[in-house]
Amino acid sequence: MVDRRSGVPAFRQVASDLREKITAGEYAPGEQLPSERELVDSYGVSRPTVREAVNMLRAEGLVTSEHGRGVFVRPPASIQRMSRARLSREARERNRGAFLADAAARGFTPSTSVKIRFEQADQRAAAHLAIDEGTEITVRDRVMRADGLVVQLAVSRLPRELTRGTAIEEVDTGAGGAYARLEESGHRLGSFVEHVGARMPTPDEATQLQLAEGVPVITVTRVAYTEDGTPVEMNDMVLAADRYELSYEWPAD
Amino acid sequence: MVDRRSGVPAFRQVASDLREKITAGEYAPGEQLPSERELVDSYGVSRPTVREAVNMLRAEGLVTSEHGRGVFVRPPASIQRMSRARLSREARERNRGAFLADAAARGFTPSTSVKIRFEQADQRAAAHLAIDEGTEITVRDRVMRADGLVVQLAVSRLPRELTRGTAIEEVDTGAGGAYARLEESGHRLGSFVEHVGARMPTPDEATQLQLAEGVPVITVTRVAYTEDGTPVEMNDMVLAADRYELSYEWPAD
DNA sequence: GAGTGGTCTAGACCACCTT
DNA sequence: AGGTGGTCTAGACCACTCC
């Protein structure tokens, strides 16, 4: 029952109460909550009020609702770690690319689909690649799957000048991936920079990544530089935050 | 006006339409949307339906609503970049700690409040610090502000054994921060590892960080190791995802 | 005081899942 | 068939902001 005189909105009281019961383990992961109609009775509020409370918990990522079945406490997803070691030259020598290397190491059946197109660099691409706006660039738009499930979206951009005549403009970039092709054509890589952020997904991303409500995405923009400091590739990645964790390691000095 | 025969729920049609107008710039950042009652008329739906549409956009972080004023397109927040260089030994020599160094470099007036307590290591802390569960640890619970606004929460844990008799058990750890004190007592740091993830904030975090709805938090767990590979500190940080971006750089080999 | 968003009700009907 | 969540209505009153 909610306290009508407290000044706290009824749906917040219901949400808080359910949240406490979930975090206390009273409703265990995977377990079903009482039905909305039952909650209506037990808290003495209308159904829209109960639904607003449940909506809050869904937006927080605490529960998921399944049409015709019920509302369930969301069990924590198993988290994949991605470490920077996946980009070592050594790893490239044995594999097709970073993602396939990663998946193979974990027993997934990986698959990717790639669309290649050519564009003029927009302001952001121009800034990261240190080229003029409007310069022709090669864009590789990839969807990566593990056991059929989409796990990562990635858009890679390179100055067209560097990719002409290489397998980077093909669907299959060959052993070692695009980075190996760049090095073969004389652009030996010197360093990587990754910019990591997070935000809520667009509806489109939510569909593609099959995200539950209340699950943000991690965005990673990686820029690859040659040994002389010239940027040669930028790669925008989008990952489901409930399935990925990124790890970085560096010496203290 | 919504299409009743399309099978697409009315509130989704309204949300999609508004979303398009926002991303197309028809409603510019900071600009006010039509009032809910106006939207009721223009789309021919009831007010709860309009509100559900607006709720969607709010959960996506596209708009904020202000009681008594209106609904506004959320302007992008200015993003602070945090790079791993902030942890260099050289930077420590000139400053009190990583956060103060960061803020000072940017013209903020930084302030922190610290609560120190002693606990027994839980399973997670024990795993990261390579100690037995139940071992006594020192916990430094910090709230960091820039110009009075909370921007970061951080909980640092170290084996008590390493902090006894040092300024790490004081509110003010002194010049160079806790890492400098560790090095002074003979625990020269060898490397750092950061694990980066994202999730929706707890209501508590949302309040403390003054997060708008639809803004996730970035979580960073940093573990500091000595030169012989012994973990000496773990630091759990929580940052507002609309205000921070993390940068990591490493050589190609 | 007029306009705004915030909360809440008491229903109704639909779509989906299970038995 | 019966239970579940999903959608929607037509109101009502409140709290806040601005003029």
Side-chain angles (χ1 to χ4, degrees), chain A residues 58-95:
Chain A
R58 235 191 354 210
E60 290 168 24
L62 275 180
V63 303
T64 51
S65 42
E66 296 179 32
H67 195 172
R69 301 221 314 125
V71 177
F72 301 85
V73 178
R74 220 152 69 82
S78 75
I79 288 186
Q80 306 301 328
R81 291 199 166 70
M82 276 177 55
S83 103
R84 72 177 179 90
R86 75 191 180 282
L87 289 175
S88 74
R89 197 164 277 135
E90 184 197 8
R92 270 207 303 285
E93 278 160 16
R94 294 191 309 267
N95 291 287

Side-chain angles (χ1 to χ4, degrees), chain A residues 4 9-11 45-49 67-69:
Chain A
R4 294 294 181 174
F11 78 90
V45 296
S46 69
R47 185 153 166 242
T49 300
H67 195 172
R69 301 221 314 125

Side-chain angles (χ1 to χ4, degrees), chain A residues 2 9-19 39 43 45 49-50 53:
Chain A
V2 301
F11 78 90
R12 286 187 195 282
Q13 293 185 45
V14 174
S16 297
D17 194 61
L18 292 174
R19 191 185 299 112
L39 294 174
Y43 288 105
V45 296
T49 300
V50 163

Side-chain angles (χ1 to χ4, degrees), chain B residues 215-233:
Chain B
V215 178
V217 292
I218 299 173
T219 60
V220 181
T221 301
R222 179 171 62 227
V223 183
Y225 295 86
T226 58
E227 287 178 323
D228 64 4
T230 311
V232 288
E233 187 227 25

Side-chain angles (χ1 to χ4, degrees), chain B residues 3-223:
Chain B
D3 178 0
R4 295 294 182 176
R5 298 160 313 173
S6 70
V8 180
F11 78 90
R12 285 186 195 281
Q13 293 184 45
V14 175
S16 298
D17 195 61
L18 292 173
R19 192 186 296 112
E20 276 168 31
K21 287 179 174 163
I22 290 169
T23 53
E26 197 162 329
Y27 298 127
E31 197 178 328
Q32 184 170 6
L33 261 55
S35 78
E36 295 181 349
R37 273 114 177 146
E38 283 172 333
L39 294 174
V40 163
D41 292 341
S42 55
Y43 288 105
V45 296
S46 70
R47 185 154 168 243
T49 301
V50 164
R51 281 186 62 78
E52 198 162 358
V54 173
N55 282 346
M56 271 195 83
L57 301 182
R58 233 187 0 205
E60 290 167 24
L62 275 180
V63 303
T64 51
S65 42
E66 297 179 31
H67 195 172
R69 302 221 315 125
V71 177
F72 301 85
V73 178
R74 220 152 69 83
S78 74
I79 289 186
Q80 306 301 328
R81 293 198 165 69
M82 278 176 56
S83 102
R84 73 177 179 91
R86 74 190 181 283
L87 288 175
S88 75
R89 199 165 275 135
E90 184 197 7
R92 270 208 302 284
E93 279 161 14
R94 294 190 310 268
N95 292 286
R96 286 221 172 293
F99 172 70
L100 298 183
D102 232 35
R106 238 189 293 281
F108 286 135
T109 306
S111 62
T112 72
S113 21
V114 186
K115 271 185 248 169
I116 294 156
R117 57 178 195 274
F118 305 101
E119 277 182 3
Q120 299 195 317
D122 60 14
Q123 198 193 346
R124 186 168 161 271
H128 275 113
L129 292 173
I131 55 180
D132 291 327
E133 222 174 308
T135 307
E136 190 178 22
I137 55 176
T138 304
V139 182
R140 295 178 54 87
D141 203 331
R142 280 186 301 170
V143 177
M144 290 168 238
R145 297 183 187 79
D147 291 340
L149 184 81
V150 173
V151 294
Q152 190 181 326
L153 308 172
V155 181
S156 173
R157 288 167 228 262
L158 308 89
R160 176 88 199 260
E161 188 190 23
L162 302 182
T163 65
R164 223 182 290 268
T166 75
I168 298 174
E169 299 192 359
E170 310 295 325
V171 166
D172 183 354
T173 52
Y179 291 155
R181 297 295 85 70
L182 279 173
E183 296 216 320
E184 282 167 8
S185 50
H187 303 94
R188 192 172 164 83
L189 298 182
S191 63
F192 297 100
V193 176
E194 285 190 359
H195 304 282
V196 184
R199 58 171 169 76
M200 291 314 282
T202 64
D204 202 64
E205 290 166 340
T207 306
Q208 281 198 77
L209 294 170
Q210 295 180 269
L211 296 176
E213 282 196 62
V215 178
V217 292
I218 299 173
T219 60
V220 181
T221 301
R222 179 171 62 227
V223 183

